[in-house]
Amino acid sequence: MFYADVFLLQNLCMDYLAVMGSNLFLKRGKRGIRLFLVSALSSLCGLFLLLSVKDPVWYQLLAHFVLNTGMVAGCFGIKSKKQFLENWLATYLAALLLGGGMEWLQEQRLFYRHQYMQMLAASVLLFSAAAYLMQFRSYGNYIFSCRLKKGLRSLELRAYWDSGNQLRDPYTGKAVSILSYQKAKDFWEAERDAVRYVPYRSLGEQNGLLWVTDVDFLEIRQGKQRIVIKNAAIGFAEEGLLEGKDYDMILHAALLDEGERINKKRKSRAGGGICT
């Protein structure tokens, strides 16, 4: 006998765990509520497909290549073809790992007749595998979830930690992180935000001038810990420099070390709290 509510709940759990695993491994920084709502909508659409499409071949094609693709797009967006493909493959592999884990548990008769315990055990295997694989990612390739705050404005973005970015503002001594042109255009307000011109050198520019402004703070998330740089200096990249990348900003090489030192000082003063 087919139980629609059981099918819906199982699909929701599987989809949500798959996109959460991809979000963790790829460091996309998407909020859990967004992933949950998109997974719930995908599960409802999956139930509709099952009840309306009688041909099993067509059902499998639509479920795997149309419905799952739409779920990935809804969860992570379509910023670039490369990033979307990474999201799609990671989510699909996560779903396969979950399904394979549950099938193996059934064959071993572990948690027999307790499907949700099997799902829980399979999810532990999935997230353990994701955490293990993340250990092999080079520290220099880390992409962090970040937030800029200035007044009432707030901007969520992804930032690449680049050991080659050594640019400092010669007037204030601050480390300068470089924001993409499009994000800067959306965030900066000409009437309110003062800018200064900071000289820089690069491979294609020996005597360049970079627009730089200060924000109230730059928050960098490292797992459960947050690093907060107050009065951070943010430079505006030229149009086309960072567009199409998997990140929106290039962090200064020293920011993580500086942030950790600030955290330790505040931790000692506050008796063990994490900088917020």
Side-chain angles (χ1 to χ4, degrees):
M1 184 178 292
F2 174 72
Y3 296 97
D5 55 342
V6 175
F7 174 86
L8 191 64
L9 187 57
Q10 285 182 342
N11 263 20
L12 171 60
C13 291
M14 292 284 285
D15 290 344
Y16 183 60
L17 288 171
V19 294
M20 279 293 290
S22 300
N23 193 46
L24 171 67
F25 178 67
L26 296 176
K27 291 184 175 289
R28 295 311 190 208
K30 301 300 181 182
R31 296 185 179 277
I33 185 64
R34 173 178 176 172
L35 302 182
F36 179 81
L37 291 175
V38 175
S39 299
L41 179 60
S42 177
S43 299
L44 283 171
C45 292
L47 178 60
F48 173 77
L49 275 180
L50 183 65
L51 296 176
S52 59
V53 179
K54 302 304 181 183
D55 188 321
V57 175
W58 272 107
Y59 169 75
Q60 293 294 334
L61 289 173
L62 290 171
H64 285 270
F65 297 103
V66 177
L67 186 58
N68 282 357
T69 301
M71 180 181 70
V72 172
C75 287
F76 303 107
I78 307 176
K79 192 163 189 179
S80 67
K81 292 180 180 179
K82 178 184 175 183
Q83 187 182 109
F84 179 74
L85 182 60
E86 288 177 349
N87 296 335
W88 191 91
L89 287 174
T91 303
Y92 198 78
L93 289 174
L96 288 178
L97 183 59
L98 278 170
M102 290 188 64
E103 185 175 345
W104 180 81
L105 290 169
Q106 289 173 357
E107 290 177 354
Q108 302 300 315
R109 302 184 71 83
L110 297 175
F111 307 114
Y112 187 60
R113 294 182 179 178
H114 295 281
Q115 288 187 330
Y116 292 108
M117 288 298 295
Q118 290 178 346
M119 189 175 297
L120 178 61
S123 65
V124 171
L125 290 174
L126 170 66
F127 286 98
S128 298
Y132 179 75
L133 290 173
M134 286 172 65
Q135 295 178 1
F136 294 94
R137 302 183 70 180
S138 170
Y139 181 74
N141 290 331
Y142 270 3
I143 294 180
F144 297 92
S145 174
C146 296
R147 181 164 69 105
L148 295 178
K149 185 75 166 61
K150 186 159 189 175
L152 298 177
R153 286 167 284 158
S154 181
L155 179 65
E156 293 283 341
L157 48 85
R158 301 175 72 246
Y160 172 65
W161 181 85
D162 185 3
S163 59
N165 180 16
Q166 302 288 338
L167 179 63
R168 285 190 177 272
D169 185 339
Y171 311 111
T172 63
K174 294 180 181 179
V176 179
S177 297
I178 303 173
L179 184 64
S180 73
Y181 175 85
Q182 189 57 54
K183 291 291 184 180
K185 184 179 176 182
D186 295 339
F187 185 70
W188 181 60
E189 292 185 359
E191 304 82 11
R192 301 182 182 181
D193 302 337
V195 296
R196 54 192 182 273
Y197 297 94
V198 171
Y200 73 94
R201 291 183 179 181
S202 64
L203 291 176
E205 183 63 64
Q206 293 299 314
N207 298 295
L209 289 175
L210 187 72
W211 282 29
V212 174
T213 190
D214 292 335
V215 297
D216 293 342
F217 66 78
L218 163 62
E219 179 187 65
I220 307 169
R221 303 186 185 103
Q222 286 185 293
K224 295 182 179 180
Q225 187 179 14
R226 294 184 299 167
I227 290 175
V228 176
I229 310 295
K230 292 186 176 180
N231 300 315
I234 305 298
F236 301 160
E238 294 182 1
E239 186 174 4
L241 181 63
L242 296 181
E243 276 66 36
K245 302 287 187 182
D246 292 338
Y247 47 87
D248 310 299
M249 186 168 68
I250 298 176
L251 294 172
H252 190 278
L255 277 187
L256 298 186
D257 291 336
E258 290 181 5
E260 287 177 355
R261 285 197 295 270
I262 293 171
N263 268 355
K264 288 178 181 178
K265 289 180 181 178
R266 294 185 179 181
K267 183 178 179 181
S268 62
R269 292 174 185 172
I274 293 178
C275 173
T276 59

